[in-house]
Amino acid sequence: MPDTTRLSVRNIRKSFGHHEVLRGISLEARDGDVISVLGPSGSGKSTFLRCINLLEMPDDGEVLVDGELIRMMKSGAHSRPASQKQVDHIRAELGMVFQSFNLWSHMTILQNVIEGPVHVLKRPRAECVEEAQALLKKVGIADKANAYPAHLSGGQQQRAAIARALAMKPKVMLFDEPTSALDPELVGEVLRVMRALAEEGMTMLVVTHEMGFARNVSNRVVFMRDGLVDSSGTPHEMFGEGASPSFRQFIGHFAGGN
Ligand code: ADP
Ligand code: MG
């Protein structure tokens, strides 16, 4: 049987000074998995995502993307990637969407979307433009191709950021609270795009506080607390009777929400 593991994270540890933020986190995503990562503020969720795409260097542990181990070198208490070339190649396989959109403000939406495929993947520009237009249509902002980010609403900017990530044809999409910076009335349009991606079979790791998404769209829920995986399971398990007391307490804060 072919190995369909797209992302494998093993025993990641990360400290900032004396503060151990990740204390040995492991997670596997198979093809088409949509994993919601939930947890209180400060539990290490962003650091975890940043360690996966090496925006932060884990002190210890392993990350494999589509079966390829990111090679690390120890230097004292810390480690660093053994090959920058491999890091660039792995990063291109991981689409990242941030809370704050992070579009390039001096470029139009279309330019934002084709930047990676043209300059990193060195693909023909005309082909990239055509694909970018299709992606913008898919996320519902085809008419914004020539606009600058500042002229878009937050929801439109986040959908553009998703299109930009997809333009690299990533193997896994990482989302860090993609709707947390949005006005409430704009959250739905972004969640709809994410749901459509999930239904197409994209492998996704989503840090979110949207309990509706975690329950109804993801097939697995991971609850992080104090730099560790407290518990994980299917939404049915996690939101059902058998959930860990700390997870129950956590979701209690969201009761009455979506
Ligand atoms: P979450 O995303 O779950 O809210 P974070 O991963 O952002 O948590 O942060 C976890 C902890 O790590 C917090 O205490 C935060 O202050 C600390 N932290 C995160 N990034 C850094 C950094 N670059 N330097 C020092 N401390 C950091
Ligand atoms: Mg965070």
Side-chain angles (χ1 to χ4, degrees):
M1 211 173 84
D3 184 3
T4 58
T5 306
R6 290 283 171 263
L7 179 69
S8 178
V9 182
R10 298 177 188 158
N11 208 25
I12 289 283
R13 290 177 176 271
K14 176 71 183 175
S15 298
F16 294 109
H18 293 298
H19 182 188
E20 192 172 29
V21 172
L22 301 180
R23 301 192 289 146
I25 297 244
S26 302
L27 177 148
E28 294 235 323
R30 293 181 159 264
D31 194 34
D33 273 347
V34 178
I35 303 178
S36 289
V37 178
L38 310 181
S41 174
S43 55
K45 306 179 299 295
S46 294
T47 305
F48 176 51
L49 286 194
R50 293 168 62 82
C51 280
I52 293 174
N53 65 6
L54 304 175
L55 291 172
E56 295 286 357
M57 294 308 145
D59 298 329
D60 204 359
E62 292 183 334
V63 177
L64 291 93
V65 177
D66 216 18
E68 182 179 345
L69 175 70
I70 304 178
R71 297 188 307 281
M72 305 292 276
M73 267 166 65
K74 271 276 178 202
S75 57
H78 297 283
S79 61
R80 60 186 176 83
S83 156
Q84 186 57 42
K85 200 170 160 211
Q86 187 192 30
V87 170
D88 294 343
H89 146 78
I90 294 277
R91 275 206 192 124
E93 299 195 324
L94 298 169
M96 178 91 183
V97 175
F98 301 88
Q99 181 175 334
S100 52
F101 327 137
N102 289 16
L103 294 167
W104 293 295
S105 59
H106 63 290
M107 292 183 189
T108 65
I109 296 303
L110 185 77
Q111 286 166 341
N112 265 277
V113 177
I114 64 170
E115 178 71 14
V118 170
H119 291 106
V120 179
L121 303 181
K122 315 276 187 212
R123 294 184 42 218
R125 188 185 167 87
E127 197 180 292
C128 296
V129 167
E130 203 170 303
E131 282 181 17
Q133 282 162 339
L135 282 171
L136 291 176
K137 187 167 174 211
K138 180 182 170 129
V139 301
I141 51 170
D143 56 327
K144 302 294 180 192
N146 297 313
Y148 285 86
H151 295 133
L152 271 62
S153 72
Q156 291 168 334
Q157 287 188 55
Q158 193 59 302
R159 286 183 283 146
I162 293 171
R164 181 180 61 176
L166 291 175
M168 296 294 280
K169 303 188 199 293
K171 300 220 165 108
V172 180
M173 286 282 283
L174 309 174
F175 293 85
D176 192 359
E177 297 199 33
T179 59
S180 294
L182 299 175
D183 291 335
E185 72 273 20
L186 303 179
V187 168
E189 63 192 53
V190 172
L191 291 179
R192 273 193 294 281
V193 166
M194 291 171 61
R195 183 179 195 128
L197 269 185
E199 286 169 357
E200 281 174 21
M202 176 61 77
T203 308
M204 298 161 61
L205 193 54
V206 185
V207 172
T208 186
H209 295 295
E210 292 294 330
M211 293 300 149
F213 183 91
R215 248 183 131 125
N216 303 319
V217 181
S218 50
N219 65 329
R220 209 132 55 81
V221 174
V222 170
F223 176 52
M224 272 180 70
R225 200 160 66 102
D226 295 332
L228 287 170
V229 173
D230 172 276
S231 49
S232 68
T234 63
H236 185 74
E237 288 163 348
M238 293 295 281
F239 290 96
E241 295 298 315
S244 85
S246 46
F247 183 62
R248 278 185 189 220
Q249 191 187 15
F250 174 74
I251 56 175
H253 297 296
F254 295 88
N258 46 32

